[in-house]
């Protein structure tokens, strides 16, 4: 029996059609992503029906390209891993059904993967995990602090009580009339501006690991509305810089406190907002000063991709997880 495990991963939770092949959960043999940004840009956000249709159109092409790029044969592949949730139900169904068809046709085990677990395991391509570790997950739909004491074991320490960080970014971007996707545009503008506006920081109850960004989002919107009513002109760059400073301070401070209180050996950042350059820079500075090892994936592994699903699927497969051909999409699937 061969020692290595080769897993094919499929990811279609939102608007990227992605297939990857990964060896031993740490080595990417191929990672093909077909983005739909141009299709959704004119709507200012992802249109679920359009996303699903694009997944159907692109799945076969992306799959064939990933297998060819990896230079493997089907007999070499040990299992098919697929995102089963959370995400857009129509989009998820395309990936799940493609995975089930492959598992049936190729007689391969099927492993359903939770999307956020995938984002966490994107870090394993950079460096092996050292437990216990703390994961900060920041994306359009999630802001969570998760403690891991071993592979595949997740303990929720804190989460957003309202808007996720990425959601707040998107809403502020729309108020600033920035193009879609808004998060990277706010990050770009923030680098050009100055923190001239003292926006609120939601610390919540003393000792809390939870987050709240709804009040910050409202404060930014009110500031823009009030300025318009008075005929004042606010620099978009300064609004972006001031908003981002608030988000980053809360995320960094709470993560650092949790890391110290839980005495972790490693901190990782995961999710689409992990691509934010302001956050990456400040986290690195703070954790270097604290002497706590920090892992942040490269930009291409922060956003949705199938390599991370194959990586998380590798752990699940090694731990004995198997799903039947009755596997279904679960748009509300929890990590814990």
């Amino acid at each position: 029996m061969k020692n290595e495990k080769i897993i094919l991963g499929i990811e279609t939770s939102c608007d990227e059609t992605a297939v990857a092949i990964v060896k031993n959960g740490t080595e990417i043999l191929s990672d093909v992503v077909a983005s739909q940004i141009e299709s959704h840009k004119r709507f200012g956000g992802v249109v679920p029906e359009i996303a699903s249709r694009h997944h159907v159109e692109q799945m076969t092409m992306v799959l064939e390209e990933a297998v060819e790029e990896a230079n493997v044969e089907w007999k070499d592949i040990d299992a098919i891993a697929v995102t089963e949730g959370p995400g857009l139900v129509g989009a998820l169904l395309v990936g799940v059904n493609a995975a089930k068809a492959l598992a049936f046709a190729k007689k391969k085990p099927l492993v359903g993967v939770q999307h956020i677990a995938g984002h966490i395991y994107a870090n394993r391509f950079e460096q092996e995990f050292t437990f216990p570790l703390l994961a900060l997950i920041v994306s359009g739909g999630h802001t969570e602090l998760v403690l891991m004491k071993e592979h595949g074991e997740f303990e929720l320490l804190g989460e957003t009580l309202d808007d996720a960080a990425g959601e707040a970014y998107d809403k502020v971007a729309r108020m600033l009339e920035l193009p879609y996707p808004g998060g990277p545009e706010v990050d770009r503008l923030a680098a050009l501006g100055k923190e001239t506006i003292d926006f609120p920081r939601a610390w919540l109850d003393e000792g809390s690991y939870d987050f709240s960004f709804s009040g910050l989002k409202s404060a930014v919107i009110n500031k823009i509305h009030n300025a318009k009513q008075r005929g004042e002109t606010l620099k978009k760059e300064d609004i972006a810089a001031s908003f981002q400073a608030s988000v980053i301070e809360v995320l960094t401070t709470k993560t650092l406190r949790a890391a110290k209180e839980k005495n972790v050996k490693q901190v990782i950042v995961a999710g689409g907002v992990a691509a934010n350059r302001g956050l990456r820079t400040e986290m690195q500075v703070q954790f270097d000063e604290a002497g706590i090892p920090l892992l942040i994936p490269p930009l291409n592994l922060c956003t949705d991709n199938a390599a991370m699903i194959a990586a998380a699927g590798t752990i699940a497969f090694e731990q004995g997880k198997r799903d039947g051909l009755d596997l279904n999409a679960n748009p509300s699937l929890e990590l814990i």
Side-chain angles (χ1 to χ4, degrees), residues 77-88:
I77 294 172
D78 292 283
I80 311 293
V82 62
T83 305
E84 60 174 305
L88 303 174

Side-chain angles (χ1 to χ4, degrees), residues 134-136 145 157 203 209 211 248-264 266-269 282-294:
L134 179 70
L136 170 67
L145 276 172
L157 299 182
W203 299 111
Y209 294 133
F211 300 93
I248 289 174
E249 183 179 346
V250 171
L251 289 174
T252 304
T253 302
K254 291 209 171 204
T255 305
L256 187 56
R257 178 166 60 82
K260 290 177 178 178
E261 290 176 357
K262 298 299 180 180
N263 197 28
V264 299
Q266 195 176 54
V267 171
I268 64 178
V269 186
E282 185 61 22
M283 290 283 285
Q284 198 67 64
V285 168
Q286 293 289 338
F287 281 86
D288 281 352
E289 286 182 4
I292 301 172
L294 177 72

